[in-house]
Amino acid sequence: MNKSITRIAKMDDWFFEVKMVRAIKSKNYGDPYSAIAQLTASGEQMHIDSHLSVKDEELSKNDFMTIYKFCQTMGMKGISYDRIKNGFRTSKHIDISENQQPNIRLVK
């Protein structure tokens, strides 16, 4: 997917703006999926609201990079998410670089 994805479209007197995305992890659309994530766009920032997998696995680095590339093609400038580890919630923010992949390390 090399083309940018349009977040705002106009039809007649209406503007349609993508604000929420449901991401499904599956080899083929319509097949059973192994994970799902809910993303919310606010301006040029994307927030990963939730992530749920069949085997209760954490979001892997490869999965995060796929979400990163999707957000990059939508023209987003950053991704944020919250993690709960050992009962403590932490917020993370990753800047999106144009045409570059970040050095990201997700830890369990």
Side-chain angles (χ1 to χ4, degrees):
M1 182 185 317
N2 294 332
K3 296 180 180 180
S4 67
I5 300 168
T6 304
R7 288 188 295 139
I8 300 172
K10 184 177 190 310
M11 289 184 154
D12 299 329
D13 291 337
W14 285 87
F15 286 91
F16 297 88
E17 183 178 5
V18 174
K19 294 297 281 179
M20 296 189 79
V21 176
R22 182 175 74 156
I24 302 167
K25 185 176 181 181
S26 177
K27 292 290 181 193
N28 298 299
Y29 186 76
D31 287 353
Y33 52 87
S34 59
I36 187 168
Q38 187 76 29
L39 315 173
T40 303
S42 179
E44 295 178 332
Q45 303 296 315
M46 187 71 83
H47 182 74
I48 302 172
D49 292 321
S50 63
H51 169 263
L52 181 64
S53 68
V54 173
K55 297 180 182 177
D56 204 26
E57 297 169 343
E58 294 286 329
L59 190 65
S60 72
K61 181 178 180 179
N62 287 339
D63 291 336
F64 183 84
M65 288 308 302
T66 300
I67 292 171
Y68 179 95
K69 288 185 280 187
F70 171 78
C71 293
Q72 192 175 44
T73 60
M74 286 191 69
M76 295 294 181
K77 301 294 182 198
I79 302 172
S80 62
Y81 60 93
D82 296 331
R83 293 185 71 114
I84 297 177
K85 185 175 178 182
N86 299 326
F88 294 99
R89 181 177 152 259
T90 59
S91 297
K92 302 285 184 183
H93 179 79
I94 306 295
D95 289 325
I96 296 176
S97 301
E98 196 171 321
N99 300 322
Q100 293 182 3
Q101 288 196 359
N103 182 14
I104 297 174
R105 190 176 131 230
L106 298 176
V107 292
K108 290 185 177 183

